[in-house]
Amino acid sequence: MADRIKKDTRDPKVIIASRVAKELHDGDVVNLGIGLPVMVADYLPDGVHIILQSENGLMGMGPAPDKGNEDVDVTNAGGGFVTMEPYAMCFDTSMSFGFIRGGHVDATVLGALEVDEKGNIANWIVPGKMVSGMGGAMDLVVGAKKVIIGMLHTQVVKDKETGEVKRVDKKILKECKLPLTAVGAVDLIVTEMGVIDITKDGFVLRELHPDYTLEEIQDATGAELIVSGELREMQI
């Protein structure tokens, strides 16, 4: 696993997933949201035993299978192929959400469209697109003991002709502009630029990726960053 992470450390999503994995503790029950958060399962530290729960009714979810070994009956909540640990169990959706709402999930890792300095999160409606609803996020952000957001620091677009990636919209804001999923729910944000704690005083930058300066991170953030007195290089 270490070799795989080292090989991919230029990929922003791998940076985020591998860093989020270090926030999880031995014995934790963890829910991974669809999209980027699911990648965390592939980067769990050696020797740390995490029980992964998926809201479609799977306890004991494993990492993505090798290509060609997919099982059409074993997927995560987003329909992506996963594996099952030897101790895994399956149950219906009502039991799955009863587990979440009952406060039995130690941490959830979710993506977001916007997060603000009060810990508010908006992650269910994309402007200009039809969406059916917020899914399990509304339950996870209030049922999990810790809410970790793993996302790109800003919205980015790729030029079809040049392939150049440009940052267009800030996602870490003083105040969310989109409809909220939950109020004051987020504890921690991990992006490709750094690690940010959400405190009563606002955003506290705890770690920064060595490819970025403090000025670049602040410029990509729509709210004032408080720099931790123990600021260190991002651990990936």
Side-chain angles (χ1 to χ4, degrees), residues 95-164:
M95 180 176 289
S96 182
F97 277 88
F99 187 88
I100 293 168
R101 294 167 183 168
H104 304 293
V105 174
D106 293 298
T108 184
V109 183
L110 300 171
L113 295 170
E114 295 176 346
V115 180
D116 69 28
E117 62 183 7
K118 294 181 180 178
N120 301 327
I121 175 175
N123 78 336
W124 69 278
I125 185 166
V126 181
K129 294 185 179 182
M130 292 292 292
V131 291
S132 57
M134 64 180 68
M138 58 184 278
D139 299 277
L140 287 162
V141 291
V142 296
K145 297 171 185 173
K146 183 174 183 178
V147 176
I148 302 170
I149 301 302
M151 66 177 186
L152 295 175
H153 204 98
T154 61
Q155 186 70 33
V156 297
V157 293
K158 188 173 183 179
D159 189 291
K160 294 181 180 179
E161 294 183 0
T162 66
E164 182 183 0

Side-chain angles (χ1 to χ4, degrees), residues 10 20 22 32 53 58 96-97 105 107 111 116 132 134 149 153 160 163 173 176 192-193 204-205 208 221 228 230 234:
R10 302 304 300 179
V20 168
K22 290 179 171 56
L32 302 178
Q53 186 260 359
L58 174 58
S96 182
F97 277 88
V105 174
D116 69 28
S132 57
M134 64 180 68
I149 301 302
H153 204 98
K160 294 181 180 179
L173 307 170
C176 289
E192 77 281 16
M193 287 185 156
V204 176
L205 182 66
L208 80 166
T221 305
S228 170
E230 299 178 353
M234 193 172 179

Side-chain angles (χ1 to χ4, degrees), residues 29-221:
V29 175
V30 179
N31 179 285
L32 302 178
I34 62 175
L36 190 158
V38 173
M39 294 174 60
V40 173
D42 297 330
Y43 297 94
L44 296 175
D46 293 335
V48 176
H49 179 62
I50 305 296
I51 301 171
L52 297 177
Q53 186 260 359
S54 183
E55 63 260 38
N56 58 324
L58 174 58
M59 181 73 73
M61 181 174 69
D66 294 331
K67 190 172 182 179
N69 291 329
E70 300 90 348
D71 185 332
V72 295
D73 294 320
V74 184
T75 67
N76 57 37
F81 293 116
V82 293
T83 54
M84 295 173 65
E85 300 291 355
Y87 57 83
M89 63 185 78
C90 298
F91 34 79
D92 62 25
T93 303
S94 61
M95 180 176 289
S96 182
F97 277 88
F99 187 88
I100 293 168
R101 294 167 183 168
H104 304 293
V105 174
D106 293 298
T108 184
V109 183
L110 300 171
L113 295 170
E114 295 176 346
V115 180
D116 69 28
E117 62 183 7
K118 294 181 180 178
N120 301 327
I121 175 175
N123 78 336
W124 69 278
I125 185 166
V126 181
K129 294 185 179 182
M130 292 292 292
V131 291
S132 57
M134 64 180 68
M138 58 184 278
D139 299 277
L140 287 162
V141 291
V142 296
K145 297 171 185 173
K146 183 174 183 178
V147 176
I148 302 170
I149 301 302
M151 66 177 186
L152 295 175
H153 204 98
T154 61
Q155 186 70 33
V156 297
V157 293
K158 188 173 183 179
D159 189 291
K160 294 181 180 179
E161 294 183 0
T162 66
E164 182 183 0
V165 175
K166 296 181 179 179
R167 298 182 181 275
V168 289
D169 291 320
K170 296 176 181 178
K171 301 170 68 174
I172 302 175
L173 307 170
K174 187 171 184 62
E175 184 175 351
C176 289
K177 301 174 184 178
L178 297 173
L180 298 182
T181 305
V183 174
V186 179
D187 299 293
L188 181 72
I189 303 172
V190 178
T191 77
E192 77 281 16
M193 287 185 156
V195 178
I196 300 171
D197 287 314
I198 296 181
T199 74
K200 61 181 179 59
D201 297 317
F203 292 126
V204 176
L205 182 66
R206 188 208 307 174
E207 298 177 16
L208 80 166
H209 193 281
D211 284 353
Y212 302 96
T213 65
L214 276 173
E215 291 74 19
E216 287 172 327
I217 298 174
Q218 179 60 76
D219 186 59
T221 305

